[in-house]
Amino acid sequence: MPTRTARTAWNGTLQDGAGQVELSSSGAGTFEVSFPKRAADDADGTTSPEELIAAAHTSCYAMQLSALIAEAGGTPQSLEVTADVTLGPDDPGFKLTGIALTVRGEVDGLDADGFAAAAQAAKQTCPVSKALTGVPITLDAALVT
């Protein structure tokens, strides 16, 4: 399996500095980061580690869930996954205090209970969920008709 790489170049102090996160392996882009914007309600065009974790988690979870739906005899037509990753205080510093996953799916061949079982199994088995076991992860999963 491949290794993927990202790179951050940072200049300055935590409060006054800023950086750029580069998605090096894919070349998909370079994104601005700063702590004041990370801690603000309005990100103002910058990303954050929490947003990048949310992106990684939702994409990994969607892939895992689509595989588990197929294993259970269903066919995923569409999955919409969101993740809200929360940063909070810690002593010292900060920590991730929770991740709220929400998934809505259009699936042929599975009822609500079957979908819920696959969704819960995906939460337990997606590699990003496994990497984040130190953070409480909640799941809200439902079929849409």
Side-chain angles (χ1 to χ4, degrees):
M1 298 301 287
T3 298
R4 301 293 186 226
T5 304
R7 175 186 159 276
T8 296
W10 185 269
N11 296 301
T13 66
L14 178 64
Q15 291 300 327
D16 298 323
Q20 300 80 36
V21 174
E22 173 188 274
L23 304 182
S24 305
S25 300
S26 67
T30 300
F31 305 93
E32 299 295 317
V33 292
S34 85
F35 184 78
K37 292 180 182 179
R38 178 184 185 185
D41 288 333
D42 181 3
D44 193 29
T46 66
T47 193
S48 67
E50 294 73 35
E51 184 176 43
L52 295 169
I53 288 169
H57 205 173
T58 59
S59 59
C60 182
Y61 179 87
M63 290 179 207
Q64 184 70 4
L65 180 54
S66 69
L68 294 177
I69 288 168
E71 285 179 16
T75 303
Q77 297 303 316
S78 69
L79 300 172
E80 183 170 321
V81 183
T82 60
D84 296 321
V85 178
T86 305
L87 179 69
D90 196 19
D91 188 22
F94 301 90
K95 66 179 180 179
L96 300 183
T97 58
I99 299 172
L101 285 174
T102 302
V103 60
R104 296 296 179 261
E106 292 182 42
V107 176
D108 295 333
L110 287 184
D111 63 11
D113 289 340
F115 179 74
Q120 187 62 39
K123 177 183 157 244
Q124 301 302 319
T125 59
C126 122
V128 173
S129 289
K130 290 178 183 181
L132 297 169
T133 56
V135 181
I137 301 171
T138 62
L139 175 64
D140 175 2
L143 287 174
V144 291
T145 54

